[in-house]
């Protein structure tokens, strides 16, 4: 008996299930339509985002323009504030760069021995070893301060009037790094008193070196400088102080030099020693 | 054409349609959306900057009276002009209080100085004015005078600068004993020669930069017409 295939001819030979007469093209078209629908959705979202963002940009720009206009209206106040800060900084710098002469003299009077009388005292602030004159100090100090970037005060252009201030720096007459020196000359009762004076002068606050220039005892009585008679050796010595601090050091310091000077109450006895020494 | 060929062609056509839709429609739109998003960020940043500027400006406006007062006060320490008369009066008052005789004042740094009282320092914001003062008094009185001169412009313990007079930088001091005129013996008095420098604002700057007590120069207020800076008082509280 011969076998007989009951399956219809168009559905034989491994044709896929569901392919139908289109051979599966219908599924491809359906898939294509699905993808295009997703694309349309994404396109719509993007368009909506663009329109909303564009509106937001317009709002933000309007707000920014209004704020800028307000800032421009108040710009003179900002310029004035800048001018004020720069002026304060410049004065601060000058105040901090000063040497505390009062404190130095107080210290000198405190440590000077009774066996010593001063005939002259000269103090200068020099840029180097301390032997320069005050007039030279001014020029040297100016150039030094100009070259010191840390101490310079930059003035930016501000309002119409402040704009004329341009970029400047403040040069102190006693710029940071300057070395104060005192030169003392006087009369002592003995060479031992001169040695004691050298030792005592090293106790002065802020002194870096004390050097003896001369100590000469003449056979006869010599002049004390202003009519007085010096029976002991006549001496000359130099006191070198620490260099003046830089702007950064002074700003970081919590105790200003002027305050330290005013905080110290000089004793009544010691300064009279120095005053008496000059007699 | 077999069924398989038809399927391949349809799939390829579908892919082409998808690619075209992506490239021609969706990708440009998305790119534009991303660009607009970046523009939004930029606009937001601009707004933030502008708002911070406004806040800073409002803060400056609120602090204007205090800043003006402070600047006028600093004008006592560093005036616009040489203000030599007020300097002399300040030193005279200070020396009188300390029982020191104010003997002389020489502008230009004393001996060997130029004829000009003002030594212009090229790189300086403030112009230096060197002086030489001569005082006469005891050591202790001169010491107190130095303190007083320093206190004309003083840094307080709070860190601020207190101004009650001219800012002076002492560069050199020379103390010599005075001889008694009759006997030639020391009188106990000292002659103190002080080389000091005062400072002056540049000619281009006023004490307040042209601002008035009510508003700075250029501020759009009702009093904007008043643009002249107030003159620094010739005599100020030198020794409080």
């Amino acid at each position: 008996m011969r076998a007989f295939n009951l399956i219809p001819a168009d559905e034989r030979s491994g044709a896929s299930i569901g392919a139908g007469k289109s051979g599966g093209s219908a599924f491809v078209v359906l898939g294509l339509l699905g993808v295009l629908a997703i694309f349309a959705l994404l396109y719509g979202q993007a368009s909506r985002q663009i329109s909303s963002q564009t509106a937001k940009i317009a709002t933000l720009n309007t707000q920014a323009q209004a704020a800028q206009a307000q800032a421009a209206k108040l710009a003179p106040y900002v310029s004035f504030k800048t001018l004020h800060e720069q002026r304060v900084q410049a004065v601060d710098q000058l105040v901090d760069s000063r040497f505390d002469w009062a404190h130095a003299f107080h210290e000198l009077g405190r440590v000077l021995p009774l066996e010593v009388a001063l005939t002259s005292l000269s103090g200068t602030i020099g840029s180097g070893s301390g032997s320069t004159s005050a007039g030279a100090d001014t020029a040297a100090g100016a150039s030094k301060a100009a070259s010191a970037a840390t101490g310079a005060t930059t003035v930016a252009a501000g309002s119409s009037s402040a704009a004329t201030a341009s970029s400047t720096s403040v040069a102190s007459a006693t710029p940071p790094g300057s070395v104060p020196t005192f030169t003392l000359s006087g009369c002592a009762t003995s060479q031992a008193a001169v040695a004691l004076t050298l030792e005592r002068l090293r106790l002065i606050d802020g002194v870096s070196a004390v050097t003896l220039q001369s100590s000469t005892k003449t056979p006869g009585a010599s002049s004390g400088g202003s009519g007085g008679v010096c029976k002991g050796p006549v001496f000359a010595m130099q006191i070198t102080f620490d260099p003046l601090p830089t702007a950064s050091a002074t700003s970081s310091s919590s105790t200003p030099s002027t305050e330290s000077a005013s905080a110290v109450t000089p004793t009544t006895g010691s300064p009279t020693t120095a005053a008496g020494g000059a007699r | 054409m077999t069924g398989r060929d038809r399927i391949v062609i349809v799939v390829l056509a579908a892919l082409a349609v998808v690619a075209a839709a992506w490239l021609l429609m969706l990708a440009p739109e998305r790119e534009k959306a991303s660009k607009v998003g970046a523009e939004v960020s930029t606009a937001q940043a601009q707004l933030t900057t502008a708002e911070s500027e406004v806040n800073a400006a409002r803060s400056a406006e609120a602090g204007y009276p205090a800043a003006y007062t402070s600047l006028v006060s600093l004008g006592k320490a560093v005036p616009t002009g040489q203000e030599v008369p007020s300097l002399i009066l300040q030193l005279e008052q200070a020396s009188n209080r300390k029982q020191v005789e104010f003997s002389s004042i020489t502008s230009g740094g004393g001996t060997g100085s130029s004829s000009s009282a003002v030594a212009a320092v090229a790189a300086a914001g403030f112009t230096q004015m060197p002086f030489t003062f001569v005082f006469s008094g005891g050591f202790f009185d001169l010491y107190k005078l130095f303190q007083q001169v320093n206190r004309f412009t003083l840094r307080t313990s709070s860190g601020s600068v207190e101004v009650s007079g001219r800012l002076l930088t002492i560069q050199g001091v020379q103390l010599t004993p005075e001889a008694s005129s009759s006997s030639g013996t020391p009188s106990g008095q000292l002659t103190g020669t002080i080389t000091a420098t005062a400072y002056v604002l540049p000619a281009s700057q006023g004490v307040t930069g042209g601002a008035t007590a009510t508003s700075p120069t250029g501020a759009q207020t009702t009093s904007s017409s008043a643009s002249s800076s107030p003159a620094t008082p010739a005599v100020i509280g030198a020794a409080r």
Side-chain angles (χ1 to χ4, degrees):
Chain A
M1 187 174 171
R2 187 171 170 239
F4 184 78
N5 192 350
L6 295 175
I7 300 171
D10 56 344
E11 292 183 11
R12 291 178 197 167
S13 65
S16 61
I17 297 169
K21 290 182 182 176
S22 64
S25 299
F27 293 111
V28 174
V29 171
L30 284 175
L32 174 64
L33 288 174
V35 170
L36 289 178
I38 293 170
F39 277 15
L41 185 68
L42 292 175
Y43 183 84
Q45 280 183 343
S47 295
R48 203 166 46 248
Q49 189 183 355
I50 288 170
S51 61
S52 68
Q53 299 282 55
T54 306
K56 194 175 178 182
I57 288 172
T59 308
L60 289 174
N61 281 339
T62 306
Q63 290 176 344
Q65 282 172 0
Q68 283 168 353
Q70 198 169 5
K73 191 178 171 185
L74 297 173
Y77 290 97
V78 178
S79 301
F80 186 82
K81 185 183 178 187
T82 308
L83 175 69
H84 170 250
E85 287 171 353
Q86 288 158 354
R87 192 74 60 77
V88 168
Q89 192 179 352
V91 172
D92 273 356
Q93 182 188 332
L94 291 174
V95 168
D96 290 339
S97 69
R98 292 187 299 187
F99 177 64
D100 197 344
W101 291 90
H103 183 57
F105 278 117
H106 167 249
E107 287 283 291
L108 180 65
R110 186 174 64 84
V111 303
L112 212 58
L114 290 168
E115 298 83 4
V116 164
L118 295 184
T119 53
S120 75
L121 189 159
S122 175
T124 58
I125 298 179
S127 57
S129 58
S131 59
T132 54
S133 67
D137 293 343
T138 307
S143 61
K144 195 163 185 175
S147 62
T150 53
T153 303
T154 305
V155 179
S159 64
S160 56
S161 57
T164 55
S166 67
S167 181
T168 56
S169 63
V170 176
S172 170
T174 55
S178 302
V179 180
T181 54
F182 281 8
T183 304
L184 313 176
S185 57
C187 176
T189 54
S190 64
Q191 295 289 13
V194 174
L196 177 64
T197 306
L198 285 169
E199 285 297 317
R200 297 287 293 273
L201 290 178
R202 290 195 178 96
L203 299 176
I204 291 178
D205 185 25
V207 163
S208 62
V210 179
T211 52
L212 178 70
Q213 293 177 337
S214 65
S215 177
T216 310
K217 185 175 183 180
T218 51
S222 65
S223 171
S226 60
V229 176
C230 180
K231 294 178 180 175
V234 175
F235 65 87
M237 50 185 71
Q238 188 178 54
I239 308 171
T240 306
F241 287 84
D242 294 330
L244 296 181
T246 58
S248 57
T250 52
S251 61
S252 62
S253 172
S254 59
T255 308
S257 58
T258 48
E259 286 300 297
S260 62
S262 58
V264 176
T265 306
T267 55
T268 51
S270 296
T272 11
T273 305
R279 281 176 193 142
Chain B
M1 182 181 290
T2 63
R4 203 176 100 182
D5 292 341
R6 280 202 305 273
I7 289 171
V8 168
I9 289 171
V10 168
V11 167
L12 286 177
L15 287 176
V17 169
V18 168
W22 178 268
L23 291 174
L24 297 176
M25 293 178 62
L26 199 56
E29 199 71 3
R30 285 168 64 87
E31 189 181 347
K32 193 176 173 184
S34 135
K35 204 172 173 182
V36 171
E39 286 177 11
V40 167
S41 301
T42 307
Q44 189 76 52
Q46 284 178 345
L47 178 61
T48 306
T49 306
E51 283 176 344
S52 65
E53 285 176 3
V54 169
N55 288 336
R58 282 183 181 149
S59 167
E61 186 185 26
Y64 178 76
Y68 182 84
T69 306
S70 170
L71 209 55
V72 170
S73 175
L74 288 177
K76 296 175 185 175
V78 185
T80 49
Q82 296 186 20
E83 298 287 353
V84 176
S86 72
L87 176 63
I88 293 172
L89 286 173
Q90 288 170 37
L91 292 171
E92 177 73 16
Q93 286 178 9
S95 56
N96 284 344
R97 291 184 184 200
K98 303 303 173 192
Q99 286 81 44
V100 173
E101 185 187 341
F102 180 22
S103 304
S104 73
I105 174 172
T106 310
S107 65
T111 57
S113 65
S114 63
S115 58
S116 171
V118 179
V121 180
F126 294 164
T127 306
Q128 295 184 357
M129 288 178 60
F131 285 100
T132 301
F133 312 111
V134 178
F135 296 95
S136 178
F139 179 88
F140 203 51
D141 298 328
L142 287 170
Y143 151 73
K144 286 179 179 174
L145 179 69
F146 289 137
Q147 273 190 326
Q148 188 69 38
V149 169
N150 253 359
R151 285 175 182 166
F152 284 169
T153 305
L154 174 71
R155 181 177 292 285
T156 61
S157 55
S158 63
S160 61
V161 172
E162 187 180 286
V163 178
S164 61
R166 196 72 176 265
L167 172 62
L168 289 173
T169 304
I170 299 175
Q171 296 159 261
V173 174
Q174 188 158 12
L175 298 182
T176 50
E178 283 182 1
S180 175
S181 56
S182 57
S183 62
T185 55
S187 62
Q189 294 290 97
L190 300 173
T191 299
T193 307
I194 299 172
T195 309
T197 299
Y199 300 90
V200 177
L201 283 172
S204 58
Q205 295 184 35
V207 169
T208 59
T212 65
T214 53
S215 65
T217 307
Q220 296 169 358
T221 60
T222 52
S223 61
S224 60
S225 58
S227 60
S228 62
S229 64
T232 306
V235 180
I236 56 178
R240 285 177 196 165

